[in-house]
Amino acid sequence: MTEPVSGTAGPAGPRGLVVGLLGAGAMARAHLPAWLALGARVTVLSASGRAAELARPYQDRGVTVARDLGELLCGCDIVDICTPTPSHRELALAAIAAGRPVVCEKPLALTTEDAALVARTAEAAGVPLFPAHVVRYFPAYAAAARAVAAGRIGTPSALRFTRAGAYPVWAPWFADPALSGGILVDQMIHDMDFARLLAGEVVRVHARVRVGRFADGDGPDRPGHPTASGTALLTHASGAVSRLLGVWGRPGLPFRTTFRVSGPDGVLEHHSTAGAAGASAGGSDVEAPGGALPESPYLTQLREFAAAVAGGPPPGVSAWDGVAAVRIATAAAESARTGKPVELSGPLG
């Protein structure tokens, strides 16, 4: 049994929230329309000075700009962190200290220790903390998770994932592994998280990274565009093995994702190029919804988070899922640096 995977969106969530949106880059541009579709009022703050630019097209829908973090925290019900990764830890801790539920773009932090600190602090304060692993909410991925949970293919034993698109030159910090973690931590963490969801805890990671340039001309004034690729082999406690490939390629490289999840009773497959084409979400590393999707996965994700804050069921992604994803991704980065596999053991926090 080989099944192409599809899925549908969930029910409507609560309205009337006031959201403090931190950041004005690609992810903020993906989250803002979703919050507005949920009926939220949004206040934006960005250290880049681009908050007014982001808010301007939505002024007639009540989107405003905060003067500083204190003003934003005092005037919102939920904080949504869409800033560059190095700022996640401090902004999340500030929001938790103010008692505000937090949605934080992946990764939660650049290190497992910092991610666990944020999760522990939120837990101790009784503040909801939601890592925004949006790939779980793409219909094909959500349907695959449901199929595995229902036992349709038996226990997964062999998993393959690919994720490829143009190098994110739109924000220079991606090119510095000290700021982004590189392709393994920033891009491939999506599939690491999903592999763990399907096949269980990861106990061993072996990874490699190659960086280079796509030559688009001759001479010192035309050095070409940066490229990077990563491979990772994840061994799960169940004995399952996941093989991952990530690519940041040449300019204009069409974004695509695939997965193949095999078990004793069948196979689940997905190829993003088999359906309607999606567009890059302002240069982000996840596909923006095309016409074939029932709704934006960002909307599906944020509706679930907002409903949980309003007293509904816990969301499908926990704070500790976010920590676990960081641990796998940073272990992969360490493996790539040393050339040796990294064993994962012991508690997360």
Side-chain angles (χ1 to χ4, degrees):
M1 176 179 71
T2 301
E3 304 180 45
V5 180
S6 61
T8 57
R15 302 176 69 85
L17 287 169
V18 180
V19 175
L21 180 61
L22 293 170
M27 299 320 304
R29 292 170 190 274
H31 284 215
L32 176 54
W35 283 121
L36 295 176
L38 291 173
R41 290 187 291 115
V42 180
T43 299
V44 184
L45 178 66
S46 173
S48 70
R50 296 167 58 196
E53 175 190 330
L54 175 61
R56 192 172 299 117
Y58 302 100
Q59 285 178 340
D60 61 343
R61 301 183 66 179
V63 177
T64 59
V65 176
R67 289 172 295 184
D68 54 39
L69 183 60
E71 180 183 277
L72 180 137
L73 292 175
C74 285
C76 70
D77 301 310
I78 287 179
V79 173
D80 185 357
I81 300 173
C82 293
T83 54
T85 300
S87 64
H88 288 183
R89 175 186 183 273
E90 293 307 320
L91 290 174
L93 291 174
I96 293 165
R100 301 297 185 262
V102 178
V103 179
C104 184
E105 260 302 326
K106 60 82 206 162
L108 272 180
L110 278 170
T111 69
T112 306
E113 293 76 16
D114 282 348
L117 171 64
V118 173
R120 284 196 309 272
T121 304
E123 203 169 61
V127 172
L129 170 64
F130 307 121
H133 282 274
V134 73
V135 164
R136 292 197 187 195
Y137 296 86
F138 273 70
Y141 290 80
R146 290 193 298 269
V148 169
R152 272 178 32 203
I153 65 168
T155 302
S157 56
L159 305 87
R160 290 182 179 271
F161 301 89
T162 69
R163 184 168 300 272
Y167 198 104
V169 294
W170 49 273
W173 61 272
F174 283 104
D176 185 350
L179 300 178
S180 70
I183 191 169
L184 290 164
V185 175
D186 185 84
Q187 189 233 50
M188 293 174 65
I189 194 172
H190 286 298
D191 294 316
M192 294 172 186
D193 170 66
F194 198 67
R196 175 179 172 268
L197 175 67
L198 298 188
E201 296 300 335
V202 174
V203 296
R204 191 170 188 259
V205 182
H206 200 180
R208 292 184 178 180
V209 169
R210 295 183 64 183
V211 297
R213 287 195 170 269
F214 173 75
D216 63 349
D218 298 323
D221 295 332
R222 305 266 325 250
H225 297 271
T227 61
S229 63
T231 58
L233 182 69
L234 312 182
T235 303
H236 300 264
S238 66
V241 173
S242 295
R243 292 174 169 84
L244 286 65
L245 169 67
V247 175
W248 281 341
R250 60 175 172 77
L253 180 70
F255 184 86
R256 73 179 187 93
T257 64
T258 71
F259 63 70
R260 180 180 175 88
V261 182
S262 303
D265 299 326
V267 177
L268 300 168
E269 289 190 293
H270 157 72
H271 298 267
S272 65
T273 55
S280 171
S284 71
D285 55 0
V286 292
E287 187 181 10
L293 297 188
E295 71 175 18
S296 161
Y298 297 100
L299 173 56
T300 311
Q301 167 187 252
L302 295 175
R303 178 191 291 117
E304 183 176 280
F305 294 162
V309 169
V317 187
S318 74
W320 291 102
D321 288 332
V323 178
V326 172
R327 179 161 76 163
I328 298 166
T330 54
E334 175 67 11
S335 174
R337 186 185 69 81
T338 64
K340 299 177 181 179
V342 174
E343 307 290 333
L344 299 180
S345 61
L348 282 173

